Amino acid sequence: MLTPRHQALLMTLAGMTVGVAVFGTVLAINGNGDDDHRATDVVTSQTPSTSTPRGDGLQAESLQYTAQTFGTDRAPVTAEVPATWRAGQDGERPRFLDPTGVWQIRFDTRGSSKSPERQVSDRERSIKEQDLKVLSRDNGTLVYTYVDRVRGPRMGLSRWISTDNGDSSAIEITVGGRPQDEAALSAVLERATKSLQLPDSSSRPN
């Protein structure tokens, strides 16, 4: 039979055991909380994306040009186009595209008895794209926007050039891209126009 002294000793030991267990439990809980806090720090400290916004337009000052010759052997035509744009087809209706396929310039060297002004009117009526908006139609140049079902908003600039004071059209130049590329597309069209060399070497567009 336990004496009062022995009973007091056992109760003291039991109290110490419970205290150690509770302390261990608190440490375990605090340890799990620290792990969660560290995991949260890892997630929130990730480096944000630095991808370039898709809305950025083509920059005219970034373009370099090279001369391309096309047409036929008997009637060659030369014009300067952006150096990185590659020929998608040649001959009398060549087309040059940038590597991404977003921008392009094409030529039609077959000529027409129609005046540039008539060509502008006919092209305007022939475009069947969604949400067509004609921005200008001056001096034999048609500028327009539309929505492509696959590529979204697009812009086109088509110019017809005459070598007989506007009675007929010798060549068509069309550039295409997106509305935000308008300044660069205009620069590409102007560069092609000013560098154009037609079969009659004495004739250059004004």
Side-chain angles (χ1 to χ4, degrees), residues 139-186:
N139 301 318
T141 302
L142 180 68
V143 180
Y144 54 95
T145 61
Y146 62 94
V147 176
D148 184 271
R149 294 181 180 179
V150 176
R151 296 179 293 176
R154 299 289 293 172
M155 168 171 271
L157 296 83
S158 297
R159 172 174 292 169
W160 288 266
I161 295 170
S162 175
T163 58
D164 56 4
N165 297 318
D167 292 335
S168 64
S169 300
I171 188 170
E172 174 197 343
I173 307 174
T174 293
V175 294
R178 306 165 302 179
Q180 62 264 40
D181 306 319
E182 182 174 3
L185 294 177
S186 296

Side-chain angles (χ1 to χ4, degrees), residues 10 13 18 51-52 63:
L10 288 175
L13 291 173
V18 172
S51 59
T52 303
L63 296 173

Side-chain angles (χ1 to χ4, degrees), residues 3-184:
T3 63
R5 182 179 178 181
H6 288 158
Q7 291 177 354
L9 180 59
L10 288 175
M11 292 182 65
T12 300
L13 291 173
M16 292 175 64
T17 302
V18 172
V20 170
V22 171
F23 182 70
T25 302
V26 171
L27 285 178
I29 293 174
N30 288 340
N32 289 338
D34 288 343
D35 289 342
D36 291 342
H37 182 66
R38 285 193 295 271
T40 302
D41 285 346
V42 170
V43 172
T44 57
S45 63
Q46 290 179 345
T47 303
S49 173
T50 57
S51 59
T52 303
R54 296 182 61 184
D56 285 354
L58 179 65
Q59 302 301 309
E61 61 272 17
S62 69
L63 296 173
Q64 297 182 343
Y65 295 83
T66 186
Q68 296 283 356
T69 299
F70 40 88
T72 65
D73 292 338
R74 296 183 60 183
V77 176
T78 299
E80 292 184 6
V81 303
T84 59
W85 297 13
R86 302 306 179 196
Q89 62 188 54
D90 53 15
E92 293 182 295
R93 303 181 67 187
R95 180 172 57 179
F96 302 88
L97 302 93
D98 84 287
T100 68
V102 175
W103 310 292
Q104 64 171 295
I105 181 171
R106 65 177 177 81
F107 301 83
D108 189 340
T109 66
R110 295 174 299 175
S112 170
S113 60
K114 298 179 182 179
S115 68
E117 287 71 22
R118 175 70 181 277
Q119 295 278 25
V120 167
S121 297
D122 288 352
R123 177 62 55 81
E124 181 181 350
R125 288 194 298 267
S126 69
I127 300 174
K128 304 301 181 183
E129 300 289 351
Q130 181 180 352
D131 296 332
L132 174 66
K133 294 180 180 179
V134 174
L135 304 183
S136 66
R137 53 194 319 280
D138 301 325
N139 301 318
T141 302
L142 180 68
V143 180
Y144 54 95
T145 61
Y146 62 94
V147 176
D148 184 271
R149 294 181 180 179
V150 176
R151 296 179 293 176
R154 299 289 293 172
M155 168 171 271
L157 296 83
S158 297
R159 172 174 292 169
W160 288 266
I161 295 170
S162 175
T163 58
D164 56 4
N165 297 318
D167 292 335
S168 64
S169 300
I171 188 170
E172 174 197 343
I173 307 174
T174 293
V175 294
R178 306 165 302 179
Q180 62 264 40
D181 306 319
E182 182 174 3

